[in-house]
Amino acid sequence: QEKLDMSTYPVESIRNFSIIAHVDHGKSTLADRLLEITGTISKTNRNKQVLDKLQVERERGITVKAQSASLFYNHEGINYLLNLIDTPGHVDFSYEVSRSLSACQGVILVVDANEGIQAQTVANFYLAFEAQLSIIPVINKIDLKNADPERVEKQIEKLFDIPTDECIRISAKQGTNVEKVLQKVIEKIPPPQCNTSDPLKALVFDSTFDHYRGVVANIALFGGEIAKGHKIVSAHTKKRYEVNEVGILTPDEQPTHKLYAGQVGYLIAGMKEVAEAQIGDTLFLYKQPVEPLPGFKSAKPMVFAGMYPIDQTEYNNLKSALERLTLNDSSVTVHRDSSLALGAGWRLGFLGLLHMEVFNQRLEQEYNMSVILTAPTVPYKAVLSSAKLIKEYGKDQITIINPAQFPDKLSVSEYLEPTVLGTIVTPHEYIGKIITLCQDRRAVQKDMLYIDENRVMLKYLFPLNEIVVDFYDALKSLSSGYA
Protein backbone atom coordinates (compact mmCIF):
# COMPACT_ATOMS: atom_id res chain seq x y z
CA GLN A 1 0.00 0.00 0.00
CA GLU A 2 1.17 3.49 -0.89
CA LYS A 3 1.51 5.63 2.23
CA LEU A 4 -0.47 8.88 2.13
CA ASP A 5 1.12 12.27 2.67
CA MET A 6 -1.07 14.15 5.17
CA SER A 7 0.93 17.39 5.18
CA THR A 8 -1.18 18.72 2.27
CA TYR A 9 -4.11 19.21 4.68
CA PRO A 10 -3.33 22.22 6.91
CA VAL A 11 -5.44 22.84 10.02
CA GLU A 12 -7.74 25.38 8.32
CA SER A 13 -8.94 22.79 5.77
CA ILE A 14 -9.87 20.16 8.39
CA ARG A 15 -13.39 19.63 9.73
CA ASN A 16 -14.20 17.20 12.55
CA PHE A 17 -17.86 16.33 13.08
CA SER A 18 -20.24 13.67 14.46
CA ILE A 19 -23.66 12.52 13.35
CA ILE A 20 -26.15 12.37 16.24
CA ALA A 21 -29.83 11.37 16.31
CA HIS A 22 -32.49 9.20 17.92
CA VAL A 23 -32.50 5.43 17.21
CA ASP A 24 -33.32 4.55 13.59
CA HIS A 25 -33.38 8.08 12.21
CA GLY A 26 -30.78 7.17 9.58
CA LYS A 27 -27.35 8.13 10.98
CA SER A 28 -25.42 5.19 9.56
CA THR A 29 -27.20 5.43 6.19
CA LEU A 30 -26.29 9.12 5.94
CA ALA A 31 -22.70 8.15 6.77
CA ASP A 32 -22.79 5.64 3.87
CA ARG A 33 -23.86 8.35 1.41
CA LEU A 34 -21.19 10.77 2.64
CA LEU A 35 -18.56 8.04 2.21
CA GLU A 36 -19.81 7.37 -1.34
CA ILE A 37 -19.93 11.03 -2.44
CA THR A 38 -16.35 11.62 -1.31
CA GLY A 39 -15.20 8.46 -3.12
CA THR A 40 -14.09 6.75 0.10
CA ILE A 41 -16.07 3.63 -0.79
CA SER A 42 -17.30 2.67 -4.25
CA LYS A 43 -20.98 3.14 -5.12
CA THR A 44 -22.81 -0.18 -5.09
CA ASN A 45 -26.16 -1.38 -3.79
CA ARG A 46 -24.36 -3.42 -1.16
CA ASN A 47 -23.44 -0.42 0.98
CA LYS A 48 -25.80 -0.75 3.91
CA GLN A 49 -24.48 0.72 7.19
CA VAL A 50 -20.84 0.16 6.23
CA LEU A 51 -19.61 1.60 9.52
CA ASP A 52 -21.51 -0.95 11.64
CA LYS A 53 -18.76 -3.56 11.62
CA LEU A 54 -19.54 -5.73 14.65
CA GLN A 55 -21.59 -8.87 14.15
CA VAL A 56 -23.98 -7.83 16.91
CA GLU A 57 -24.60 -4.50 15.11
CA ARG A 58 -25.34 -6.27 11.83
CA GLU A 59 -27.78 -8.71 13.45
CA ARG A 60 -29.70 -6.15 15.48
CA GLY A 61 -29.48 -3.34 12.91
CA ILE A 62 -28.28 -0.87 15.54
CA THR A 63 -25.03 1.01 16.12
CA VAL A 64 -23.23 0.09 19.34
CA LYS A 65 -19.72 1.54 18.88
CA ALA A 66 -18.95 4.99 17.57
CA GLN A 67 -16.92 4.54 14.34
CA SER A 68 -14.74 7.14 12.68
CA ALA A 69 -13.79 7.63 9.04
CA SER A 70 -11.77 10.26 7.16
CA LEU A 71 -13.17 11.69 3.91
CA PHE A 72 -11.43 13.80 1.27
CA TYR A 73 -13.63 16.37 -0.43
CA ASN A 74 -12.91 19.11 -2.96
CA HIS A 75 -14.99 22.26 -2.39
CA GLU A 76 -14.45 25.38 -4.57
CA GLY A 77 -10.97 24.27 -5.57
CA ILE A 78 -9.69 23.50 -2.05
CA ASN A 79 -9.12 19.94 -0.81
CA TYR A 80 -10.73 19.38 2.58
CA LEU A 81 -10.17 16.57 5.06
CA LEU A 82 -13.42 15.72 6.86
CA ASN A 83 -13.32 13.43 9.89
CA LEU A 84 -16.72 11.88 10.49
CA ILE A 85 -17.77 9.97 13.60
CA ASP A 86 -20.97 7.92 13.39
CA THR A 87 -22.50 7.53 16.87
CA PRO A 88 -25.10 5.20 18.46
CA GLY A 89 -28.63 6.45 19.17
CA HIS A 90 -29.75 4.34 22.13
CA VAL A 91 -29.78 5.94 25.56
CA ASP A 92 -27.63 3.07 26.87
CA PHE A 93 -24.76 4.21 24.67
CA SER A 94 -24.96 7.96 25.25
CA TYR A 95 -21.50 7.67 26.84
CA GLU A 96 -20.12 6.82 23.39
CA VAL A 97 -21.79 9.96 22.03
CA SER A 98 -20.37 12.31 24.66
CA ARG A 99 -16.92 10.79 24.11
CA SER A 100 -17.11 11.25 20.34
CA LEU A 101 -18.11 14.89 20.76
CA SER A 102 -14.83 15.61 22.58
CA ALA A 103 -12.95 15.02 19.32
CA CYS A 104 -15.30 17.23 17.25
CA GLN A 105 -16.03 20.89 16.52
CA GLY A 106 -19.54 20.39 15.17
CA VAL A 107 -22.41 17.94 14.73
CA ILE A 108 -25.05 16.95 12.19
CA LEU A 109 -28.34 16.52 14.05
CA VAL A 110 -30.50 14.10 12.04
CA VAL A 111 -34.28 14.09 12.57
CA ASP A 112 -36.70 11.68 10.89
CA ALA A 113 -39.29 13.58 8.79
CA ASN A 114 -41.86 10.94 9.65
CA GLU A 115 -41.34 10.60 13.41
CA GLY A 116 -40.25 14.14 14.27
CA ILE A 117 -38.26 14.95 17.37
CA GLN A 118 -37.97 12.06 19.81
CA ALA A 119 -36.50 11.65 23.30
CA GLN A 120 -32.89 10.89 22.31
CA THR A 121 -32.92 13.74 19.77
CA VAL A 122 -33.46 16.09 22.70
CA ALA A 123 -30.85 14.41 24.92
CA ASN A 124 -28.16 14.33 22.22
CA PHE A 125 -28.88 17.92 21.21
CA TYR A 126 -28.16 19.08 24.75
CA LEU A 127 -24.92 17.06 24.87
CA ALA A 128 -23.72 18.90 21.75
CA PHE A 129 -25.09 22.24 22.96
CA GLU A 130 -23.28 21.98 26.30
CA ALA A 131 -20.03 21.18 24.47
CA GLN A 132 -20.60 24.44 22.49
CA LEU A 133 -20.43 22.76 19.09
CA SER A 134 -21.97 24.17 15.93
CA ILE A 135 -25.12 22.25 15.05
CA ILE A 136 -26.39 21.53 11.52
CA PRO A 137 -30.01 20.29 11.55
CA VAL A 138 -30.83 17.73 8.84
CA ILE A 139 -34.31 16.33 8.16
CA ASN A 140 -34.02 12.81 6.77
CA LYS A 141 -36.40 10.35 5.03
CA ILE A 142 -38.31 12.95 2.97
CA ASP A 143 -38.93 10.21 0.38
CA LEU A 144 -41.48 8.47 2.64
CA LYS A 145 -45.10 9.13 1.76
CA ASN A 146 -46.05 10.15 5.33
CA ALA A 147 -43.11 12.53 5.68
CA ASP A 148 -44.00 15.99 7.00
CA PRO A 149 -40.83 18.10 6.94
CA GLU A 150 -42.69 21.39 7.67
CA ARG A 151 -44.00 20.06 10.96
CA VAL A 152 -40.55 18.82 11.95
CA GLU A 153 -38.98 22.19 11.09
CA LYS A 154 -41.46 23.90 13.42
CA GLN A 155 -40.62 21.42 16.21
CA ILE A 156 -36.89 22.07 15.77
CA GLU A 157 -37.49 25.82 15.91
CA LYS A 158 -39.66 25.56 19.00
CA LEU A 159 -37.47 23.19 21.02
CA PHE A 160 -33.95 24.13 19.92
CA ASP A 161 -34.30 27.77 18.75
CA ILE A 162 -32.80 26.91 15.35
CA PRO A 163 -34.41 28.97 12.52
CA THR A 164 -36.33 26.82 10.00
CA ASP A 165 -34.34 28.05 6.98
CA GLU A 166 -31.20 26.40 8.40
CA CYS A 167 -32.68 22.88 8.14
CA ILE A 168 -31.53 20.78 5.17
CA ARG A 169 -34.10 18.30 3.83
CA ILE A 170 -32.50 15.09 2.58
CA SER A 171 -33.17 11.48 1.82
CA ALA A 172 -30.11 9.48 2.83
CA LYS A 173 -31.43 6.31 1.24
CA GLN A 174 -31.85 7.85 -2.22
CA GLY A 175 -29.03 10.37 -1.83
CA THR A 176 -31.23 13.47 -2.37
CA ASN A 177 -29.53 16.71 -1.28
CA VAL A 178 -26.73 14.92 0.61
CA GLU A 179 -24.06 16.91 -1.25
CA LYS A 180 -25.55 20.03 0.35
CA VAL A 181 -24.82 18.61 3.82
CA LEU A 182 -21.10 18.39 3.01
CA GLN A 183 -21.03 22.00 1.80
CA LYS A 184 -22.84 23.13 4.96
CA VAL A 185 -20.30 21.22 7.10
CA ILE A 186 -17.44 23.12 5.45
CA GLU A 187 -19.18 26.51 5.80
CA LYS A 188 -20.66 26.19 9.29
CA ILE A 189 -18.23 24.06 11.32
CA PRO A 190 -14.99 25.80 12.42
CA PRO A 191 -11.59 24.12 11.89
CA PRO A 192 -9.90 22.77 15.05
CA GLN A 193 -7.96 25.31 17.13
CA CYS A 194 -4.42 23.92 17.16
CA ASN A 195 -0.99 24.27 15.61
CA THR A 196 1.55 21.86 14.10
CA SER A 197 4.46 23.85 15.58
CA ASP A 198 3.28 23.10 19.14
CA PRO A 199 4.63 20.03 20.98
CA LEU A 200 2.74 16.79 20.34
CA LYS A 201 -0.50 16.39 22.26
CA ALA A 202 -2.84 13.52 21.34
CA LEU A 203 -6.08 12.32 22.95
CA VAL A 204 -6.88 8.60 22.93
CA PHE A 205 -10.66 8.47 22.37
CA ASP A 206 -11.08 4.78 21.56
CA SER A 207 -9.03 1.60 21.44
CA THR A 208 -9.27 -2.00 20.27
CA PHE A 209 -7.17 -5.09 20.83
CA ASP A 210 -5.54 -6.92 17.93
CA HIS A 211 -3.98 -10.37 18.52
CA TYR A 212 -0.96 -9.68 16.34
CA ARG A 213 -0.18 -6.00 16.82
CA GLY A 214 -1.31 -5.40 20.41
CA VAL A 215 -3.43 -2.35 21.16
CA VAL A 216 -4.63 -0.11 18.32
CA ALA A 217 -5.50 3.35 19.70
CA ASN A 218 -7.69 5.91 17.94
CA ILE A 219 -6.24 9.37 18.53
CA ALA A 220 -7.17 13.00 17.87
CA LEU A 221 -4.17 15.34 17.60
CA PHE A 222 -4.50 18.64 19.45
CA GLY A 223 -1.01 19.84 18.56
CA GLY A 224 2.25 18.83 16.92
CA GLU A 225 2.84 15.87 14.62
CA ILE A 226 3.53 12.16 15.03
CA ALA A 227 5.37 9.66 12.82
CA LYS A 228 6.84 6.15 12.86
CA GLY A 229 9.92 5.95 15.09
CA HIS A 230 8.89 8.76 17.46
CA LYS A 231 9.35 8.03 21.17
CA ILE A 232 6.10 8.82 23.00
CA VAL A 233 4.98 8.75 26.63
CA SER A 234 1.52 8.12 28.08
CA ALA A 235 0.47 10.70 30.68
CA HIS A 236 -1.59 8.10 32.52
CA THR A 237 0.93 5.25 32.96
CA LYS A 238 4.18 7.27 32.37
CA LYS A 239 5.42 4.41 30.14
CA ARG A 240 7.54 5.00 27.02
CA TYR A 241 6.73 3.54 23.60
CA GLU A 242 8.10 3.67 20.11
CA VAL A 243 5.55 4.34 17.37
CA ASN A 244 5.33 1.46 14.86
CA GLU A 245 2.63 2.80 12.56
CA VAL A 246 0.28 5.76 12.23
CA GLY A 247 -2.53 6.26 9.76
CA ILE A 248 -6.08 7.33 9.09
CA LEU A 249 -9.29 5.31 9.02
CA THR A 250 -11.08 5.44 5.68
CA PRO A 251 -13.22 3.07 7.42
CA ASP A 252 -10.30 0.63 6.86
CA GLU A 253 -6.83 1.39 8.20
CA GLN A 254 -4.67 3.34 5.76
CA PRO A 255 -1.05 3.93 6.87
CA THR A 256 0.39 7.45 6.41
CA HIS A 257 3.87 8.97 6.79
CA LYS A 258 2.78 11.35 9.55
CA LEU A 259 -0.27 12.71 11.31
CA TYR A 260 -0.53 16.44 11.95
CA ALA A 261 -2.40 18.65 14.41
CA GLY A 262 -6.19 18.64 13.97
CA GLN A 263 -6.25 15.23 12.29
CA VAL A 264 -7.87 12.06 13.59
CA GLY A 265 -6.32 8.65 13.05
CA TYR A 266 -4.98 5.48 14.62
CA LEU A 267 -1.66 4.60 16.21
CA ILE A 268 0.11 1.31 16.95
CA ALA A 269 2.95 1.55 19.44
CA GLY A 270 3.60 -1.92 20.82
CA MET A 271 1.30 -1.61 23.81
CA LYS A 272 1.01 -5.22 24.89
CA GLU A 273 -1.09 -4.87 28.02
CA VAL A 274 -4.79 -4.23 27.80
CA ALA A 275 -4.71 -1.72 30.68
CA GLU A 276 -2.16 0.54 28.94
CA ALA A 277 -4.42 2.23 26.41
CA GLN A 278 -6.76 4.05 28.78
CA ILE A 279 -9.50 5.89 26.94
CA GLY A 280 -9.14 9.61 27.71
CA ASP A 281 -5.34 9.36 28.06
CA THR A 282 -2.95 11.99 26.64
CA LEU A 283 0.16 11.03 24.62
CA PHE A 284 3.19 13.32 24.22
CA LEU A 285 6.79 13.13 22.94
CA TYR A 286 9.50 11.83 25.27
CA LYS A 287 11.25 14.74 27.09
CA GLN A 288 8.56 17.21 25.87
CA PRO A 289 5.86 16.88 28.54
CA VAL A 290 2.58 18.76 28.05
CA GLU A 291 -0.34 19.42 30.33
CA PRO A 292 -2.67 16.41 29.93
CA LEU A 293 -6.07 16.97 28.30
CA PRO A 294 -9.04 16.85 30.67
CA GLY A 295 -10.06 13.35 29.49
CA PHE A 296 -13.60 12.05 30.09
CA LYS A 297 -15.64 11.69 33.20
CA SER A 298 -16.08 7.97 33.70
CA ALA A 299 -19.44 6.44 32.87
CA LYS A 300 -21.89 5.78 35.70
CA PRO A 301 -23.05 2.18 35.73
CA MET A 302 -26.82 1.92 36.21
CA VAL A 303 -27.43 -1.83 36.20
CA PHE A 304 -25.36 -4.51 37.94
CA ALA A 305 -25.34 -8.22 37.17
CA GLY A 306 -23.18 -11.12 38.28
CA MET A 307 -21.27 -13.00 35.58
CA TYR A 308 -19.89 -16.49 36.21
CA PRO A 309 -18.19 -19.07 33.95
CA ILE A 310 -20.36 -22.13 33.31
CA ASP A 311 -17.41 -24.28 34.30
CA GLN A 312 -14.81 -23.05 36.84
CA THR A 313 -11.97 -24.35 34.65
CA GLU A 314 -12.89 -21.62 32.13
CA TYR A 315 -12.23 -18.88 34.72
CA ASN A 316 -8.88 -17.69 33.31
CA ASN A 317 -10.03 -17.69 29.68
CA LEU A 318 -13.08 -15.66 30.65
CA LYS A 319 -10.86 -13.28 32.60
CA SER A 320 -8.70 -12.47 29.55
CA ALA A 321 -11.76 -12.19 27.29
CA LEU A 322 -13.34 -9.73 29.74
CA GLU A 323 -10.16 -7.64 29.86
CA ARG A 324 -10.02 -7.37 26.07
CA LEU A 325 -13.68 -6.57 25.67
CA THR A 326 -13.67 -3.92 28.41
CA LEU A 327 -10.76 -2.26 26.59
CA ASN A 328 -13.03 -1.79 23.59
CA ASP A 329 -16.11 -0.96 25.69
CA SER A 330 -14.73 1.19 28.47
CA SER A 331 -18.09 1.95 30.08
CA VAL A 332 -18.35 -1.46 31.79
CA THR A 333 -17.10 -1.63 35.38
CA VAL A 334 -15.71 -4.92 36.73
CA HIS A 335 -15.48 -6.10 40.38
CA ARG A 336 -14.30 -9.53 41.52
CA ASP A 337 -17.09 -11.46 43.20
CA SER A 338 -17.84 -14.97 44.36
CA SER A 339 -21.05 -16.81 45.12
CA LEU A 340 -21.68 -19.98 47.10
CA ALA A 341 -23.64 -21.59 44.30
CA LEU A 342 -21.76 -20.41 41.21
CA GLY A 343 -18.15 -20.12 42.37
CA ALA A 344 -15.77 -17.30 41.44
CA GLY A 345 -16.92 -14.63 39.01
CA TRP A 346 -17.46 -10.90 38.56
CA ARG A 347 -20.00 -8.23 39.32
CA LEU A 348 -20.31 -6.13 36.17
CA GLY A 349 -21.83 -2.64 35.96
CA PHE A 350 -23.62 -1.66 32.71
CA LEU A 351 -25.25 1.54 31.47
CA GLY A 352 -28.55 -0.21 30.80
CA LEU A 353 -30.26 -3.46 29.90
CA LEU A 354 -29.55 -3.32 26.16
CA HIS A 355 -25.89 -2.64 26.97
CA MET A 356 -25.87 -5.78 29.12
CA GLU A 357 -27.39 -7.94 26.35
CA VAL A 358 -25.03 -6.59 23.72
CA PHE A 359 -21.99 -7.14 25.96
CA ASN A 360 -23.04 -10.73 26.60
CA GLN A 361 -23.60 -11.31 22.88
CA ARG A 362 -20.18 -9.90 22.02
CA LEU A 363 -18.53 -12.22 24.56
CA GLU A 364 -20.17 -15.17 22.81
CA GLN A 365 -19.47 -14.06 19.23
CA GLU A 366 -16.00 -12.56 19.50
CA TYR A 367 -14.51 -14.77 22.23
CA ASN A 368 -16.66 -17.97 22.19
CA MET A 369 -17.45 -17.60 25.88
CA SER A 370 -20.79 -18.73 27.24
CA VAL A 371 -21.51 -17.45 30.74
CA ILE A 372 -24.17 -17.41 33.44
CA LEU A 373 -25.66 -13.94 33.99
CA THR A 374 -27.67 -13.23 37.14
CA ALA A 375 -30.77 -11.02 37.20
CA PRO A 376 -29.95 -7.31 36.91
CA THR A 377 -30.07 -5.15 40.06
CA VAL A 378 -29.42 -1.49 40.82
CA PRO A 379 -26.91 -0.18 43.39
CA TYR A 380 -28.25 1.07 46.74
CA LYS A 381 -26.67 3.22 49.42
CA ALA A 382 -27.13 2.83 53.16
CA VAL A 383 -26.48 5.53 55.74
CA LEU A 384 -25.20 3.62 58.77
CA SER A 385 -26.26 4.41 62.33
CA SER A 386 -24.36 1.79 64.34
CA ALA A 387 -20.91 2.97 65.50
CA LYS A 388 -19.45 -0.52 65.16
CA LEU A 389 -20.26 -0.74 61.42
CA ILE A 390 -19.09 2.82 60.73
CA LYS A 391 -15.74 1.89 62.26
CA GLU A 392 -15.62 -1.31 60.20
CA TYR A 393 -16.24 0.43 56.85
CA GLY A 394 -14.39 3.63 57.76
CA LYS A 395 -17.30 5.78 56.56
CA ASP A 396 -20.94 6.30 57.44
CA GLN A 397 -22.37 5.77 53.93
CA ILE A 398 -21.79 2.56 51.95
CA THR A 399 -22.76 1.51 48.40
CA ILE A 400 -24.24 -1.97 47.99
CA ILE A 401 -24.02 -3.60 44.58
CA ASN A 402 -24.53 -7.18 45.71
CA PRO A 403 -27.87 -8.13 47.34
CA ALA A 404 -26.03 -10.58 49.64
CA GLN A 405 -24.24 -7.70 51.37
CA PHE A 406 -27.39 -5.74 52.26
CA PRO A 407 -26.98 -4.52 55.88
CA ASP A 408 -29.63 -5.20 58.53
CA LYS A 409 -32.16 -2.41 58.98
CA LEU A 410 -31.48 -2.11 62.73
CA SER A 411 -28.04 -0.63 62.04
CA VAL A 412 -29.12 1.72 59.23
CA SER A 413 -30.70 5.16 59.58
CA GLU A 414 -31.80 5.40 55.92
CA TYR A 415 -31.48 3.66 52.58
CA LEU A 416 -30.89 5.64 49.35
CA GLU A 417 -31.73 4.46 45.86
CA PRO A 418 -30.61 5.79 42.46
CA THR A 419 -33.07 8.02 40.59
CA VAL A 420 -33.05 9.11 36.96
CA LEU A 421 -34.58 12.02 35.10
CA GLY A 422 -36.59 10.50 32.24
CA THR A 423 -37.93 12.30 29.16
CA ILE A 424 -41.01 10.84 27.47
CA VAL A 425 -42.21 12.19 24.12
CA THR A 426 -45.73 11.03 23.22
CA PRO A 427 -48.81 11.83 21.11
CA HIS A 428 -51.25 13.60 23.45
CA GLU A 429 -53.99 10.94 23.31
CA TYR A 430 -51.89 8.60 25.47
CA ILE A 431 -51.14 11.10 28.27
CA GLY A 432 -53.68 9.67 30.74
CA LYS A 433 -52.39 6.10 30.47
CA ILE A 434 -48.76 7.19 30.66
CA ILE A 435 -49.28 9.35 33.75
CA THR A 436 -50.99 6.39 35.47
CA LEU A 437 -48.10 4.11 34.49
CA CYS A 438 -45.54 6.56 35.86
CA GLN A 439 -47.44 6.96 39.13
CA ASP A 440 -47.56 3.18 39.54
CA ARG A 441 -43.79 3.23 39.24
CA ARG A 442 -43.41 5.81 42.07
CA ALA A 443 -42.39 8.58 39.66
CA VAL A 444 -42.62 12.33 40.34
CA GLN A 445 -43.69 14.65 37.52
CA LYS A 446 -41.27 17.53 36.90
CA ASP A 447 -42.40 19.12 33.65
CA MET A 448 -44.96 18.88 30.86
CA LEU A 449 -44.63 20.73 27.56
CA TYR A 450 -46.59 20.67 24.29
CA ILE A 451 -44.03 20.46 21.44
CA ASP A 452 -46.71 21.04 18.80
CA GLU A 453 -50.48 20.57 18.59
CA ASN A 454 -50.39 16.81 19.06
CA ARG A 455 -47.14 15.88 20.82
CA VAL A 456 -46.21 16.28 24.45
CA MET A 457 -42.88 16.08 26.26
CA LEU A 458 -43.11 14.83 29.85
CA LYS A 459 -40.25 14.89 32.35
CA TYR A 460 -40.31 12.58 35.35
CA LEU A 461 -38.02 11.65 38.23
CA PHE A 462 -37.99 7.83 38.36
CA PRO A 463 -36.55 5.40 40.89
CA LEU A 464 -34.17 3.42 38.68
CA ASN A 465 -35.23 0.13 40.23
CA GLU A 466 -38.78 0.56 38.87
CA ILE A 467 -37.85 1.20 35.24
CA VAL A 468 -34.75 -0.88 34.69
CA VAL A 469 -36.38 -4.13 33.60
CA ASP A 470 -39.62 -3.61 31.74
CA PHE A 471 -40.70 0.04 31.81
CA TYR A 472 -39.77 0.65 28.19
CA ASP A 473 -41.80 -2.34 27.01
CA ALA A 474 -44.81 -1.24 29.05
CA LEU A 475 -44.56 2.28 27.62
CA LYS A 476 -44.37 0.98 24.06
CA SER A 477 -47.35 -1.33 24.42
CA LEU A 478 -49.53 1.35 26.09
CA SER A 479 -48.88 3.83 23.29
CA SER A 480 -48.85 1.38 20.34
CA GLY A 481 -45.16 2.10 19.92
CA TYR A 482 -45.48 5.89 19.57
CA ALA A 483 -44.08 7.10 22.92
Side-chain angles (χ1 to χ4, degrees):
Q1 261 185 335
E2 186 91 343
K3 282 194 176 179
L4 289 174
D5 179 21
M6 299 301 286
S7 60
T8 51
Y9 297 96
V11 175
E12 49 275 8
S13 61
I14 297 176
R15 301 286 183 274
N16 298 330
F17 65 97
S18 298
I19 306 180
I20 57 175
H22 189 80
V23 187
D24 266 352
H25 280 205
K27 290 181 293 295
S28 300
T29 311
L30 174 59
D32 290 348
R33 291 300 87 75
L34 295 178
L35 288 169
E36 282 179 8
I37 287 176
T38 55
T40 312
I41 53 178
S42 53
K43 287 189 185 172
T44 58
N45 297 334
R46 288 199 305 277
N47 290 334
K48 288 212 166 63
Q49 286 102 2
V50 178
L51 289 177
D52 291 352
K53 295 178 184 148
L54 298 174
Q55 192 182 339
V56 60
E57 295 179 316
R58 289 244 156 267
E59 285 174 6
R60 289 172 178 253
I62 60 176
T63 309
V64 171
K65 282 285 305 155
Q67 293 285 354
S68 51
S70 300
L71 328 170
F72 305 103
Y73 184 63
N74 193 318
H75 179 62
E76 292 174 359
I78 302 172
N79 280 328
Y80 286 93
L81 168 69
L82 309 175
N83 296 314
L84 156 137
I85 302 181
D86 177 33
T87 63
H90 288 79
V91 66
D92 286 20
F93 306 115
S94 65
Y95 180 64
E96 286 280 327
V97 179
S98 64
R99 251 193 18 226
S100 308
L101 295 184
S102 67
C104 295
Q105 281 76 45
V107 296
I108 298 177
L109 180 71
V110 182
V111 187
D112 185 333
N114 203 11
E115 298 282 351
I117 285 178
Q118 288 180 283
Q120 268 326 94
T121 317
V122 180
N124 287 342
F125 167 82
Y126 283 114
L127 279 178
F129 187 72
E130 279 161 20
Q132 297 176 337
L133 305 178
S134 21
I135 295 169
I136 300 173
V138 167
I139 296 177
N140 188 15
K141 308 197 185 183
I142 54 168
D143 54 316
L144 296 177
K145 66 174 192 294
N146 295 333
D148 189 354
E150 283 85 19
R151 198 191 81 208
V152 180
E153 280 177 358
K154 285 193 189 116
Q155 290 179 7
I156 290 178
E157 186 168 49
K158 176 161 175 149
L159 269 184
F160 303 148
D161 280 343
I162 298 175
T164 47
D165 52 349
E166 283 192 18
C167 298
I168 312 172
R169 299 183 187 184
I170 65 159
S171 159
K173 198 171 180 182
Q174 296 177 347
T176 326
N177 252 347
V178 177
E179 190 94 36
K180 210 165 155 189
V181 176
L182 279 177
Q183 290 155 9
K184 237 347 195 292
V185 163
I186 288 169
E187 289 160 22
K188 290 288 286 263
I189 295 178
Q193 298 288 322
C194 51
N195 202 332
T196 35
S197 57
D198 293 345
L200 170 73
K201 193 180 203 179
L203 170 77
V204 179
F205 65 92
D206 197 3
S207 50
T208 45
F209 189 82
D210 183 306
H211 280 287
Y212 303 106
R213 299 173 301 173
V215 174
V216 181
N218 287 16
I219 54 170
L221 268 72
F222 285 91
E225 55 184 55
I226 192 167
K228 184 177 173 170
H230 279 181
K231 300 256 189 309
I232 55 167
V233 183
S234 141
H236 180 71
T237 60
K238 305 283 183 286
K239 284 194 181 173
R240 274 170 60 186
Y241 304 101
E242 185 173 330
V243 181
N244 300 341
E245 186 186 321
V246 292
I248 55 169
L249 296 155
T250 58
D252 307 317
E253 292 171 4
Q254 173 98 20
T256 60
H257 292 291
K258 282 187 175 184
L259 284 180
Y260 298 89
Q263 297 175 357
V264 174
Y266 71 92
L267 157 128
I268 300 172
M271 300 182 182
K272 297 280 181 291
E273 286 300 311
V274 173
E276 289 174 37
Q278 282 292 325
I279 292 184
D281 195 359
T282 306
L283 305 173
F284 53 84
L285 285 178
Y286 180 55
K287 298 239 169 101
Q288 286 186 350
V290 292
E291 195 172 303
L293 295 152
F296 310 111
K297 48 177 199 290
S298 52
K300 255 207 195 122
M302 291 294 196
V303 179
F304 286 88
M307 180 178 276
Y308 301 92
I310 286 181
D311 182 0
Q312 277 299 311
T313 53
E314 288 285 291
Y315 182 84
N316 285 337
N317 298 350
L318 182 57
K319 187 175 170 208
S320 74
L322 267 181
E323 278 173 0
R324 285 181 189 157
L325 193 47
T326 45
L327 167 74
N328 190 254
D329 184 350
S330 64
S331 45
V332 179
T333 58
V334 182
H335 299 283
R336 294 277 303 276
D337 190 18
S338 64
S339 115
L340 294 172
L342 300 166
W346 295 268
R347 194 102 196 140
L348 301 182
F350 302 98
L351 301 182
L353 228 60
L354 177 72
H355 186 202
M356 180 173 110
E357 282 176 28
V358 164
F359 188 85
N360 192 19
Q361 204 172 333
R362 284 183 70 183
L363 263 183
E364 278 178 20
Q365 288 169 353
E366 296 168 34
Y367 299 97
N368 290 328
M369 285 285 151
S370 33
V371 293
I372 301 170
L373 265 183
T374 64
T377 59
V378 301
Y380 287 92
K381 281 186 177 171
V383 180
L384 304 173
S385 58
S386 97
K388 184 175 160 225
L389 275 180
I390 293 177
K391 198 170 175 187
E392 190 183 315
Y393 287 109
K395 49 182 191 276
D396 61 352
Q397 192 173 332
I398 56 167
T399 305
I400 309 142
I401 57 174
N402 192 341
Q405 293 156 357
F406 215 77
D408 192 69
K409 66 169 184 272
L410 297 173
S411 53
V412 172
S413 59
E414 58 178 338
Y415 293 111
L416 305 172
E417 63 175 342
T419 53
V420 291
L421 185 64
T423 309
I424 302 174
V425 179
T426 168
H428 66 93
E429 59 263 31
Y430 302 112
I431 288 185
K433 288 181 182 173
I434 287 176
I435 289 179
T436 319
L437 171 72
C438 293
Q439 280 167 351
D440 290 347
R441 302 293 177 105
R442 301 185 293 145
V444 183
Q445 189 172 342
K446 286 288 176 202
D447 189 15
M448 180 165 162
L449 174 77
Y450 273 82
I451 301 178
D452 57 19
E453 45 277 9
N454 54 12
R455 295 183 62 168
V456 188
M457 184 163 88
L458 301 163
K459 283 197 173 160
Y460 273 95
L461 207 57
F462 288 101
L464 184 59
N465 187 25
E466 297 281 347
I467 62 169
V468 73
V469 180
D470 62 344
F471 179 78
Y472 190 66
D473 301 340
L475 181 69
K476 283 287 181 205
S477 59
L478 270 187
S479 63
S480 331
Y482 281 112

